[in-house]
Amino acid sequence: MASGIAYAQEATTQVEDTVVIKGKALSTTEKAKVRLENVTGNVSVVKNADVEKGRSSTLEDVLAFEPGVFAQSTGGNDAVKISIRGSGIATAGGVFREGTSFLFDGLALTGSGGTPYELLEMSGIDYTEVLRGANAFQYGALALGGALNLVTHSGRTSPGVFGRFEAGSFGWRKQQLSVGGVSESGDNDYYVSVTNSERRGYQKWTNVEAKGIVGNFGFRLTPQLETRLYLRYREEYHQNPALLTIAQMKADSSQTTPATVSGRNDGTKPGSTFIGSKTTYTIDDISKLEFGLVYHDYPQILNINSAATPNFWTWRDINASLRYLRSEQLFGLQSETAVSFTRTQAINSSVKTYNGTTRALKKYATYDSSSDTVLAVGNELQLNPRTWLSTGLSLVDVRRDVRTLYADIPVGNAATTYNHLDLAPRLGLRYELAPKVVAFANVSRSIDPPVTWGFTGSGTTSTQIGVKNLTEQKANTVEIGVRGSNDTFSGSVALYRSEVRNELLTAQIPGGLPTDTEKRNATPTVHQGLEAGLDARVWKGKGGDNVVLRQAYTYNDFHYKNDPVYGANELPGLPKHVYTAELQYQHPSGFYAGVNARYSSKTWIDYANSLAAPNYTIFGAKFGYEQPGGKWSLFLDLRNLTDKAYASAISPQYNLRGLDNTGAIYVGDGFGAFAGATYRFN
């Protein structure tokens, strides 16, 4: 293994010297893989160019072959339900993501309200880091699910003018145009990408229209000082899908419901903005400083055309981060140390609900000025040529300040304010079994602060709406595994078990309407499972062509330990078994063709485990041609070849008593064909 690569070679700093291993210059993706070999746990890197051999729409496409990661569309829009190791298992499709931290280029996107999804658009992305669980320690991300770090193209990784066009079933259209370059001096570079997309939707009443821009600008001011500016902006209008029953899904999975149509279940993101900077100062040959600053403004309007209760969300965050990285000999041993500080502060954030389409009759409003702060110290110490010891300790400061003011319910106002300090240690060991094969084991603690919007219920009475008493979700996790590669295969397998306290779950309010839900801390739960992935070349021709088999298997076991109501029931929302595979033929001329499959076991719909969505298997095929010089490419991506009706995701319910009379299923797309072309003008 290429152990001992210094933290000073952070791949998220795009202006960097070329890394060479055995005379070969590495791409940014390869450098990221080398850097993540230092992590004592299950991590991986997804190269976006591989994803773009087919439809590239959302994180569902990016994470399709990542074991331990559940990423499924909830109605064909950008609201992909994402869960890593069962994180945010009960989160519905149309709200902010929970249980996993999201970053752009190592800078925090996630705030105290969770993660909005409209900026998670894949155009302009070079690669994605998948850091499961506490393996995201380096970013100060301590969520149960870990972190997803999306790294943007720069003028160095995508120079010249580039165009991409996609079209296909359900009215799918996407256009992208980008331009990038490097100054004559080589000190500065730029990258700008603009996109426009639309989708009429497989399920009726699921139209989506969006447009956005991505910018990345790098400046090397001195040999020791460099900075990079990031910009993301996106507007989106979408119609939320209808949740169906099992019977409705089987009868016609493309149908909607009368309530969805009459309620105008739609929303708009009038303009979400992410502006960030990262400045790096190289102190000397063994140490450097990184300073990051982000302003994130993400307003949205839900049920914008509804005559009942339109919601106006105004969210603003500021994040500041500082990291000190040092690589040195300590007591004769190689040592890599990172000291980091990150703080995210909500600024004038609020959710206002009205009684009608006019803003004159405000029902209630919730105001948020919460913050999350993490101070972390981590070290990787090489005990001998094959063994590394990983240690870390984080101090987590969670502040929640949520106030709800009522206009039409005579119960007064409600508020919650608290400040909690927690410690999150990490200890691990990795051992090189053979060249490029390493075994690892670690123990860690994760801290999931409650999202601020979860403090306010969505019920119909003042008691249900009032501010809830929530606290952090904490989990102690043990993980063991092995990863490795050679000229024929690349893969990993990991086992983990998390003992979770106060898990943040969402379910229907007992006695409330089907749309009445609330967030609660649960009794002790367990999250445990198996993550296995293997890419293997199963055949190599004399002419340089080959056949590659990609496989990913996930075993999920998420359950209560001894709940007074549910006993040892499984948590609803995710299947126990998921298996994906793709067999692809690649010719050196640039032609490729493959078939793929996805199997998912049944998924419990309610906490009582009285009703489950059925298991399913769907098949697909992909064909394409990439001109060897990279000038142009074509692809055809066929999905769900048998037009199978299936549940892509679940909105967990309280107790259905075995009755299939409540819509709780997000349906997957039927058969679809998507084609695309790219052209690079430089």
Side-chain angles (χ1 to χ4, degrees), residues 265-276:
N265 192 21
D266 56 3
T268 184
K269 281 74 175 175
S272 294
T273 304
F274 178 96
I275 301 174

Side-chain angles (χ1 to χ4, degrees), residues 18-79:
T18 301
V19 175
V20 177
I21 293 182
K22 294 183 179 180
K24 177 186 176 183
L26 301 182
S27 68
T28 52
T29 304
E30 292 169 329
K31 283 184 280 186
K33 290 179 179 179
V34 169
R35 179 173 55 83
L36 291 183
E37 288 176 356
N38 292 317
V39 177
T40 304
N42 197 10
V43 296
S44 53
V45 177
V46 182
K47 184 179 180 181
N48 216 53
D50 294 336
V51 179
E52 290 176 342
K53 288 184 175 182
R55 187 192 72 180
S56 177
S57 174
T58 66
L59 278 168
E60 176 186 12
D61 301 319
V62 174
L63 302 172
F65 286 88
E66 290 300 304
V69 182
F70 180 90
Q72 288 289 289
S73 173
T74 55
N77 56 29
D78 293 337

